[in-house]
Amino acid sequence: MATIRPFAGIRPAPAYAKEVAALPYDVMNTQEAREMVKGKPYSFLHIDRAEIDLPPDTDPYSPAVYQKAKETLETFEKQGIFIQDETPCLYLYRLTMDGRSQTGLVVCTSIDEYQNNIIKKHEFTRADKEADRIRHVDTLNANTGPIFLAYRENPQAAEIMAAEVKKFPLYDFIAEDGIGHTVWRIDDNDTIQALVKSFQTVDSLYIADGHHRNASAVKVGLKRREEKPDYTGEEEFNFYLSVLFPAQELHILDYNRLVKDLNGHTKEAFLAKLEEKFQITPAKTAVHPPKAHTFGLYLAGQWYLLEAKAEILSDHPVEGLDVSILQREVLTPLLAIGDPRTDKRIDFVGGIRGLGELEKRVDSGEMALAFSMFPTSMAELMATADAGLTMPPKSTWFEPKLRSGLFLHDLGK
């Protein structure tokens, strides 16, 4: 069973919600964040990336950055930009993009259920990225970015949520990128308890996005337990901020690859090697792969459709993924990309930026070739997590992104 828990959310006053809401801290670098907050004094990036309000040469991981984040949050609270609900609540958060909506339940989830694999992951995390968010959460004494979780089905919750979204929303705005954000507060105790009970029938929750935030939130909770050995398990630090979405509403985009050089191959030699494993068809326009096990290749101003031959396919939940096929059959043996997490010759571009971005970077000479990918499916993600396995890096790109700053969870004393 999955445990969900209401919390007294720290959140923007309604008049400031649109101004506060910001993209997650990890989808931009420091310089991009500095540009994004120009004319936006209340953007949550002032808290999530507090180095933007310090001198340009500031180390983004210095203690001064985390202290600045804490000071900014406290200032926003004093100014009434942020308020806190008086009683524990649940919230509904709907995102609408291109006419398609997904509605999640904003809750606190249990650090023990992450430890016990009820909350399942599908990616490895990096210690340096965890350390940053551990210090951020610990210094602010709050979960500041929600974890994006998915579940297979919960008919009882769906019925309750369908009734709740007919009520007047707490927030309802369209962000600069055209994505709609609507939030409802659920403060009726009977409704809260019915939702809590409904998730007791859900066997697993799956991390869709936010593996580093999740691992960091859990480690802060475990750190607090060490500092307070007489803890009961009911303290707020035993739980962390999450948004739970039904898997069927989620949309994964392609996560495309760019490589700097051909590893010494000529174009002709490289294509000849590819032809041993793939059926290759020149294309007149940019290739959006039409189905699983097909790929687009952009090389020397020409697009090709690649179709994997049967002998390189696999029924294994990870080895059968398109990202695994490309890594195993092309990136490692032909292009000498050993570890895509650390190799500087490969880059990744989320599908939200379009195939034109791939063409631009290859045509400029920055990169030698690009691969467009067929999106990983939610079924593949959950099968990987259920098997206790992990996907290759950059396997999934979810859109739309949850905005940070709409909900904070106070970890208490």
Side-chain angles (χ1 to χ4, degrees):
M1 62 176 246
T3 300
I4 67 168
R5 171 170 158 136
F7 65 104
I10 299 171
R11 55 183 182 79
Y16 295 101
K18 183 176 180 178
E19 296 181 65
V20 168
L23 287 168
Y25 74 96
D26 54 357
V27 301
M28 82 284 290
N29 60 34
T30 299
Q31 186 53 43
E32 288 170 334
R34 289 183 189 276
E35 292 297 319
M36 293 170 84
V37 300
K38 287 182 177 178
K40 298 178 180 179
Y42 303 129
S43 169
F44 197 71
L45 289 175
H46 292 287
I47 294 169
D48 244 0
R49 277 194 168 271
E51 73 270 19
I52 64 178
D53 294 321
L54 295 171
D57 60 349
T58 301
D59 180 350
Y61 306 117
S62 71
V65 172
Y66 305 104
Q67 189 58 38
K68 180 63 174 177
K70 180 180 179 180
E71 292 170 2
T72 301
L73 176 58
E74 290 173 349
T75 298
F76 283 4
E77 290 176 318
K78 289 175 184 176
Q79 293 176 338
I81 309 302
F82 278 99
I83 58 178
Q84 184 171 18
D85 286 317
E86 295 181 359
T87 59
C89 305
L90 297 175
Y91 307 84
L92 294 176
Y93 180 17
R94 173 173 288 172
L95 298 98
T96 302
M97 175 180 173
D98 298 332
R100 180 185 58 82
S101 294
Q102 59 192 53
T103 305
L105 182 65
V106 186
V107 305
C108 278
T109 44
S110 163
I111 66 173
D112 290 311
E113 292 186 357
Y114 178 79
Q115 297 284 88
N116 297 335
N117 204 39
I118 292 172
I119 298 173
K120 297 181 176 181
K121 56 183 179 289
H122 67 269
E123 287 183 4
F124 287 120
T125 54
R126 284 172 37 188
D128 59 335
K129 293 183 71 174
E130 282 187 28
D132 167 48
R133 285 303 103 174
I134 288 170
R135 285 176 289 189
H136 194 271
V137 170
D138 203 23
T139 303
L140 273 67
N141 195 44
N143 302 133
T144 55
I147 316 305
F148 187 164
L149 300 180
Y151 56 92
R152 278 196 170 88
E153 58 182 353
N154 186 342
Q156 184 180 357
E159 183 177 348
I160 297 170
M161 291 162 63
E164 291 296 316
V165 298
K166 294 178 181 178
K167 299 178 181 178
F168 193 78
L170 193 64
Y171 310 135
D172 189 14
F173 64 90
I174 297 175
E176 290 179 343
D177 56 6
I179 295 173
H181 302 266
T182 311
V183 172
W184 295 263
R185 179 178 56 194
I186 302 174
D187 53 12
D188 175 73
N189 189 60
D190 288 342
T191 305
I192 291 171
Q193 293 310 311
L195 284 166
V196 169
K197 184 177 180 181
S198 76
F199 274 88
Q200 293 174 358
T201 65
V202 173
D203 293 330
S204 300
L205 300 174
Y206 299 85
I207 302 174
D209 202 5
H211 281 79
H212 288 92
R213 291 193 295 277
N214 199 315
S216 302
V218 169
K219 288 182 178 179
V220 171
L222 296 175
K223 177 176 179 286
R224 298 292 175 90
R225 287 181 174 184
E226 291 180 2
E227 296 167 351
K228 189 175 181 179
D230 60 343
Y231 74 91
T232 67
E234 290 301 310
E235 297 89 352
E236 290 297 326
F237 60 71
N238 294 286
F239 302 88
Y240 61 95
L241 180 64
S242 299
V243 187
L244 281 52
F245 289 91
Q248 68 270 19
E249 291 187 5
L250 300 182
H251 186 50
I252 304 178
L253 296 185
D254 43 309
Y255 214 152
N256 303 311
R257 275 80 170 129
L258 289 150
V259 181
K260 284 185 178 293
D261 58 70
L262 287 173
N263 190 35
H265 297 289
T266 64
K267 170 188 170 182
E268 292 74 20
F270 180 69
L271 290 172
K273 285 287 187 182
L274 278 183
E275 205 159 20
E276 296 174 10
K277 304 293 181 68
F278 300 87
Q279 178 71 38
I280 302 178
T281 307
K284 294 182 179 179
T285 58
V287 175
H288 289 275
K291 59 183 179 179
H293 313 325
T294 63
F295 308 80
L297 166 65
Y298 187 62
L299 174 62
Q302 173 67 55
W303 278 99
Y304 302 88
L305 173 65
L306 310 182
E307 298 180 70
K309 294 181 179 179
E311 58 264 30
I312 68 171
L313 303 182
S314 171
D315 292 330
H316 186 275
V318 174
E319 294 304 315
L321 296 172
D322 284 355
V323 287
S324 297
I325 293 170
L326 186 70
Q327 184 67 43
R328 181 178 67 246
E329 304 294 340
V330 181
L331 297 180
T332 296
L334 300 185
L335 297 173
I337 304 292
D339 185 349
R341 289 181 179 83
T342 58
D343 198 308
K344 302 300 184 184
R345 294 170 52 240
I346 188 169
D347 199 8
F348 305 88
V349 175
I352 191 69
R353 302 184 72 170
L355 299 187
E357 177 70 9
L358 304 184
E359 293 178 345
K360 181 179 76 173
R361 294 182 66 181
V362 172
D363 291 344
S364 72
E366 176 196 357
M367 294 291 184
L369 70 165
F371 295 97
S372 57
M373 308 293 294
F374 188 76
T376 303
S377 69
M378 278 302 300
E380 289 172 324
L381 183 155
M382 292 187 290
T384 298
D386 285 339
L389 301 171
T390 54
M391 290 181 173
K394 313 296 185 183
S395 292
T396 57
W397 181 280
F398 283 89
E399 285 289 347
K401 301 289 186 188
L402 305 184
R403 289 305 193 270
S404 294
L406 294 178
F407 314 95
L408 282 72
H409 168 233
D410 190 327
L411 298 183
K413 297 180 181 179

